Amino acid sequence: MPRSERSPLLLAALLAGVGVTHFTSPRSFDETIPRSLPGPPRAWTYASGVAEFALAAGLLAPRTRKAAALASAAFFVGVFPANVKMAVDWRHRPTPQKALAFGRLPLQVPLVLWARNVARNTESKA
């Protein structure tokens, strides 16, 4: 299978895998929810997991792939504040944890670009 055909499948697998962790380890995600959001953090954690499952499913279906890829890019931008909150909250933790938290921040850029690339490749095949 060519790389461009695997890319949406790999992105879907990533989103589904992270979606699973929102339900199997919700507490770690609850801590990253900005306090300015209304409602309990657990509701946002579960909603994020459901969104990741929906995006993954959309990426698997050729008819919905472009829209799901664009929505995935927006999702990655939308969860960035939670990653910033985690980095700020973890700034006094031991160096390996601090490095993990701050290292996640620039990783959002390739995720957004990956999702946009999937959308572009889908568009060119339409």
Side-chain angles (χ1 to χ4, degrees):
M1 178 182 293
R3 189 169 133 198
S4 64
E5 291 178 25
R6 282 193 319 254
S7 189
L9 304 178
L10 294 171
L11 184 57
L14 173 76
L15 284 161
V18 175
V20 166
T21 63
H22 278 72
F23 292 94
T24 59
S25 301
R27 198 165 101 198
S28 61
F29 292 96
D30 292 348
E31 295 170 1
T32 68
I33 304 300
R35 289 186 181 96
S36 60
L37 292 175
R42 183 63 50 95
W44 288 99
T45 295
Y46 287 154
S48 181
V50 168
E52 287 163 330
F53 287 139
L55 292 168
L59 287 164
L60 294 176
R63 289 175 50 115
T64 58
R65 184 167 293 150
K66 181 180 177 187
L70 292 172
S72 296
F75 179 81
F76 293 137
V77 170
V79 299
F80 188 72
N83 292 341
V84 170
K85 182 182 182 308
M86 179 181 176
V88 169
D89 289 350
W90 286 24
R91 69 187 180 278
H92 300 298
R93 289 197 178 189
T95 301
Q97 291 177 339
K98 189 176 2 180
L100 174 70
F102 280 93
R104 287 180 58 177
L105 297 177
L107 289 178
Q108 292 300 115
V109 173
L111 288 172
V112 170
L113 296 176
W114 183 11
R116 280 187 37 203
N117 189 44
V118 168
R120 282 191 186 135
N121 285 341
T122 301
E123 183 176 47
S124 66
K125 294 178 183 179

